[in-house]
Amino acid sequence: MWIPYDIRASLKADSSKDTLRLSQADPRPRDFVVGFFLRNPVTQAWELDLVADEGSAELPAGPELPDAYLSLHPNQAGKLAEVIYRLPASSATEALELAHADMQRRMLRWLVEIGRGMAIAGWRVADMAHGARWRCTPFRPSAMQVNHAALSPLDADLAPVVELFQRARNAPDAASRLLAGFAVLVAALRHPAMAGSGAGALRVTQEMLVHAGALALADQLLDLSLPELVATLRPEHERLVGTDGVLLPVLDDLAGQRRLAVLANLADLSAHRLIVAEIRARQDSRAPAARPPVPELVKEG
């Protein structure tokens, strides 16, 4: 079962509806707290290879956020696990976007300084005036059972295409996932190994948009054929890879990252549907033909 991996979704409520409604209806600037959970992309542990001291003093965020402060919080091993911002804003969304922009560039500076991988694993937001809370953390699916005895190795000619899909599934960021998923979609239109994928019949459905988190883009994406979907995604692909084949830097704000994430999800999901259809078509073609029924002998009286 395909699931979306990107965390840049809408904030999930962590308080009662009435509390959230009061916060959302209040236009006044007030204090918010935004915490960012951090992740080591190599070990997948929710920590960075940075030492942090429990109870350390707040630090000013800097001139771009003059009234904001941040504090560094370690896990039990003493490694940095969460950065918490305290800042004024008029809404949870504004507070998150302001803090996220600062956190992203701050983390890039840390990355250069120590040369280690690091990423944001999730976040939480609190409106201190109303006690409203939201969070956004990765979905952790349950393990699935498969019949290993019935699963033979993948056909050799299909392996290069599925390796691209593997890159999409293993990608640590939306940009990499879109590039790999897009490559599978193009392969479905061109590669002989995908001749049975039903590429000509694929249509973007509402169910696919829901799974990809792209329902807000339904007016642009719903009912697209595969060639139309490829054409729609191509500008995003070209924004990530220049005409000379060199990766381009993409420093989107949080809203831009969300859009890129849902498009990457849709490319990834569509790639999965096409590959599964190809494998099923091959299985059907190899299934032994059903024998015609043997006519019964009628005894003469």
Side-chain angles (χ1 to χ4, degrees):
M1 182 182 72
W2 183 92
I3 60 169
Y5 280 159
D6 202 278
I7 65 168
R8 295 171 185 83
S10 300
L11 287 169
K12 294 178 175 60
D14 231 4
S15 301
S16 69
K17 291 183 179 179
D18 289 340
T19 301
L20 298 176
R21 194 177 298 114
L22 287 172
S23 174
Q24 292 164 344
D26 188 350
R28 299 171 302 161
R30 55 199 185 276
D31 276 347
F32 282 83
V33 171
V34 182
F36 293 100
F37 304 112
L38 305 175
R39 177 175 61 86
N40 183 321
V42 177
T43 65
Q44 297 300 319
W46 282 32
E47 63 184 27
L48 299 186
D49 292 334
L50 288 169
V51 175
D53 296 323
E54 187 66 63
S56 58
E58 285 187 325
L59 303 172
E64 294 187 19
L65 291 176
D67 298 318
Y69 295 85
L70 62 99
S71 53
L72 310 177
H73 298 268
N75 58 12
Q76 292 182 344
K79 292 186 175 183
L80 181 60
E82 185 178 14
V83 176
I84 296 179
Y85 283 76
R86 179 170 57 85
L87 72 165
S90 299
S91 68
T93 300
E94 181 188 11
L96 174 60
E97 290 176 349
L98 290 171
H100 185 275
D102 186 85
M103 183 69 230
Q104 187 72 20
R105 290 194 294 115
R106 191 176 298 273
M107 192 169 59
L108 291 175
R109 181 66 180 88
W110 295 346
L111 185 149
V112 173
E113 188 68 22
I114 70 169
R116 309 285 178 87
M118 52 188 70
I120 295 173
W123 46 75
R124 53 181 175 167
V125 183
D127 180 343
M128 304 308 290
H130 297 284
R133 288 175 169 78
W134 299 261
R135 68 171 51 237
C136 182
T137 52
F139 171 63
R140 296 180 180 273
S142 57
M144 296 183 67
Q145 285 188 334
V146 297
N147 183 354
H148 293 282
L151 293 178
S152 58
L154 193 73
D155 291 344
D157 67 320
L158 190 55
V161 178
V162 178
E163 193 273 338
L164 289 171
F165 177 64
Q166 182 184 40
R167 289 194 210 177
R169 289 280 76 190
N170 293 348
D173 58 89
S176 299
R177 193 165 65 259
L178 186 139
L179 291 175
F182 182 84
V184 175
L185 301 186
V186 173
L189 295 172
R190 301 177 182 174
H191 201 292
M194 294 289 285
S197 66
L202 180 78
R203 291 280 175 175
V204 176
T205 65
Q206 183 169 333
E207 175 258 345
M208 292 171 68
L209 295 178
V210 169
H211 279 297
L215 200 55
L217 302 177
D219 58 332
Q220 305 170 41
L221 301 172
L222 185 61
D223 205 36
L224 291 184
S225 65
L226 181 56
E228 290 169 337
L229 178 59
V230 167
T232 299
L233 295 176
R234 189 173 295 281
E236 289 294 332
H237 181 276
E238 293 175 350
R239 192 168 69 97
L240 301 173
V241 180
T243 55
D244 56 355
V246 178
L247 288 177
L248 298 175
V250 179
L251 293 176
D252 288 335
D253 59 14
L254 188 56
Q257 290 181 23
R258 284 174 175 153
R259 174 181 167 80
L260 180 62
V262 298
L263 292 176
N265 286 345
L266 183 59
D268 189 3
L269 171 59
S270 302
H272 183 242
R273 297 280 172 96
L274 291 162
I275 291 170
V276 169
E278 174 65 36
I279 292 174
R280 297 289 183 266
R282 294 183 181 210
Q283 290 174 334
D284 291 344
S285 69
R286 293 167 185 165
R291 294 182 179 180
V294 178
E296 294 184 7
L297 296 177
V298 179
K299 293 182 179 180
E300 296 183 1

